[in-house]
Amino acid sequence: MIDNVVLVGPMGAGKSTIGRLLAARLAFHFYDTDSVIEERTGADIPWIFDVEGEEGFRARESAVLGELVHSAGAVIATGGGIIMREVNRELLSQAGAVVYLTASIDQLVERTCKDKKRPLLQVADPRAKIIELIKLRDPLYREVATCVVETDGRSPRFVVQHIAELLNA
């Protein structure tokens, strides 16, 4: 039996939505690293980025991940950039199953285009930014992943069923 499942992948891949459903299916606790950070700081992610910069946010993210990966019976949805720090990749290697949720650029743009709570996408060309981030991060997601699951054109429930089958859960 798997102790934990950590969902990694780009913004808009469905980590939070799928994570909640997967946790319910496995009778696990659900944690979203961004939500935990917001609860603890009393501030939203864009505010933390504005005040502390990306580096300050990433330090908070690493601390939260360090705690959560040692919980038993948890599904953890991570922020898209969590993979960038080597310490986080090491933590993920201790986490149990790591599922890389992926989607096409078109799907990621569609899912994130109206969301003003994504500081890295508050640029003139969000599509170009997503492409840049995927190019940089995809090899790192693949490095830590137990399995890779495509979410394009699939319902969250279908994806959860597929993950459960892949993990024999």
PDB file of all heavy atoms in Angstrom, residues 41 51 57 73 93 109 116 128 142 155:
ATOM      1  N   THR A  41       0.181  31.788   6.389  1.00  0.00           N
ATOM      2  CA  THR A  41       0.629  33.178   6.326  1.00  0.00           C
ATOM      3  C   THR A  41      -0.518  34.174   6.456  1.00  0.00           C
ATOM      4  O   THR A  41      -0.284  35.337   6.759  1.00  0.00           O
ATOM      5  CB  THR A  41       1.365  33.477   4.998  1.00  0.00           C
ATOM      6  OG1 THR A  41       0.468  33.247   3.917  1.00  0.00           O
ATOM      7  CG2 THR A  41       2.609  32.632   4.854  1.00  0.00           C
ATOM      8  N   VAL A  51       5.591  40.647  -1.841  1.00  0.00           N
ATOM      9  CA  VAL A  51       6.328  41.078  -0.653  1.00  0.00           C
ATOM     10  C   VAL A  51       7.664  40.350  -0.489  1.00  0.00           C
ATOM     11  O   VAL A  51       8.678  40.969  -0.181  1.00  0.00           O
ATOM     12  CB  VAL A  51       5.450  40.889   0.614  1.00  0.00           C
ATOM     13  CG1 VAL A  51       6.227  41.160   1.881  1.00  0.00           C
ATOM     14  CG2 VAL A  51       4.225  41.790   0.532  1.00  0.00           C
ATOM     15  N   PHE A  57       8.745  32.865  -1.453  1.00  0.00           N
ATOM     16  CA  PHE A  57       7.657  31.902  -1.610  1.00  0.00           C
ATOM     17  C   PHE A  57       8.207  30.488  -1.706  1.00  0.00           C
ATOM     18  O   PHE A  57       7.697  29.563  -1.069  1.00  0.00           O
ATOM     19  CB  PHE A  57       6.814  32.230  -2.846  1.00  0.00           C
ATOM     20  CG  PHE A  57       5.821  31.144  -3.166  1.00  0.00           C
ATOM     21  CD1 PHE A  57       4.679  30.982  -2.401  1.00  0.00           C
ATOM     22  CD2 PHE A  57       6.067  30.256  -4.203  1.00  0.00           C
ATOM     23  CE1 PHE A  57       3.773  29.958  -2.677  1.00  0.00           C
ATOM     24  CE2 PHE A  57       5.167  29.234  -4.486  1.00  0.00           C
ATOM     25  CZ  PHE A  57       4.023  29.087  -3.716  1.00  0.00           C
ATOM     26  N   GLY A  73      -0.735   8.576   4.546  1.00  0.00           N
ATOM     27  CA  GLY A  73      -2.096   8.643   4.051  1.00  0.00           C
ATOM     28  C   GLY A  73      -2.479  10.006   3.540  1.00  0.00           C
ATOM     29  O   GLY A  73      -3.517  10.546   3.892  1.00  0.00           O
ATOM     30  N   SER A  93      11.491  12.367  -3.748  1.00  0.00           N
ATOM     31  CA  SER A  93      11.981  10.997  -3.907  1.00  0.00           C
ATOM     32  C   SER A  93      11.685  10.141  -2.673  1.00  0.00           C
ATOM     33  O   SER A  93      11.709   8.919  -2.739  1.00  0.00           O
ATOM     34  CB  SER A  93      13.483  10.983  -4.220  1.00  0.00           C
ATOM     35  OG  SER A  93      14.230  11.337  -3.073  1.00  0.00           O
ATOM     36  N   VAL A 109      -3.168  26.764 -21.266  1.00  0.00           N
ATOM     37  CA  VAL A 109      -3.525  28.173 -21.487  1.00  0.00           C
ATOM     38  C   VAL A 109      -5.003  28.373 -21.203  1.00  0.00           C
ATOM     39  O   VAL A 109      -5.391  29.312 -20.490  1.00  0.00           O
ATOM     40  CB  VAL A 109      -3.164  28.621 -22.923  1.00  0.00           C
ATOM     41  CG1 VAL A 109      -3.760  29.991 -23.233  1.00  0.00           C
ATOM     42  CG2 VAL A 109      -1.654  28.633 -23.112  1.00  0.00           C
ATOM     43  N   LYS A 116      -6.122  35.183 -12.104  1.00  0.00           N
ATOM     44  CA  LYS A 116      -5.213  36.269 -11.715  1.00  0.00           C
ATOM     45  C   LYS A 116      -4.368  35.914 -10.487  1.00  0.00           C
ATOM     46  O   LYS A 116      -3.557  36.695 -10.034  1.00  0.00           O
ATOM     47  CB  LYS A 116      -6.004  37.555 -11.430  1.00  0.00           C
ATOM     48  CG  LYS A 116      -6.808  38.045 -12.613  1.00  0.00           C
ATOM     49  CD  LYS A 116      -5.932  38.358 -13.807  1.00  0.00           C
ATOM     50  CE  LYS A 116      -6.728  38.787 -15.009  1.00  0.00           C
ATOM     51  NZ  LYS A 116      -6.043  38.556 -16.262  1.00  0.00           N
ATOM     52  N   ALA A 128       3.444  32.074 -24.073  1.00  0.00           N
ATOM     53  CA  ALA A 128       4.904  31.966 -24.213  1.00  0.00           C
ATOM     54  C   ALA A 128       5.540  31.615 -22.866  1.00  0.00           C
ATOM     55  O   ALA A 128       6.497  30.832 -22.807  1.00  0.00           O
ATOM     56  CB  ALA A 128       5.487  33.267 -24.759  1.00  0.00           C
ATOM     57  N   ARG A 142       9.701  14.675 -14.923  1.00  0.00           N
ATOM     58  CA  ARG A 142       9.898  13.286 -15.345  1.00  0.00           C
ATOM     59  C   ARG A 142      10.935  12.573 -14.477  1.00  0.00           C
ATOM     60  O   ARG A 142      10.808  11.373 -14.221  1.00  0.00           O
ATOM     61  CB  ARG A 142      10.280  13.224 -16.825  1.00  0.00           C
ATOM     62  CG  ARG A 142       9.113  13.623 -17.716  1.00  0.00           C
ATOM     63  CD  ARG A 142       9.446  13.579 -19.204  1.00  0.00           C
ATOM     64  NE  ARG A 142       8.343  14.113 -19.981  1.00  0.00           N
ATOM     65  CZ  ARG A 142       7.229  13.455 -20.287  1.00  0.00           C
ATOM     66  NH1 ARG A 142       7.076  12.209 -19.891  1.00  0.00           N
ATOM     67  NH2 ARG A 142       6.272  14.033 -20.989  1.00  0.00           N
ATOM     68  N   SER A 155     -11.932  13.471 -18.115  1.00  0.00           N
ATOM     69  CA  SER A 155     -12.597  13.990 -16.924  1.00  0.00           C
ATOM     70  C   SER A 155     -11.713  13.731 -15.708  1.00  0.00           C
ATOM     71  O   SER A 155     -10.929  12.766 -15.697  1.00  0.00           O
ATOM     72  CB  SER A 155     -13.955  13.314 -16.726  1.00  0.00           C
ATOM     73  OG  SER A 155     -13.761  11.979 -16.271  1.00  0.00           O
TER      74      SER A 155
END
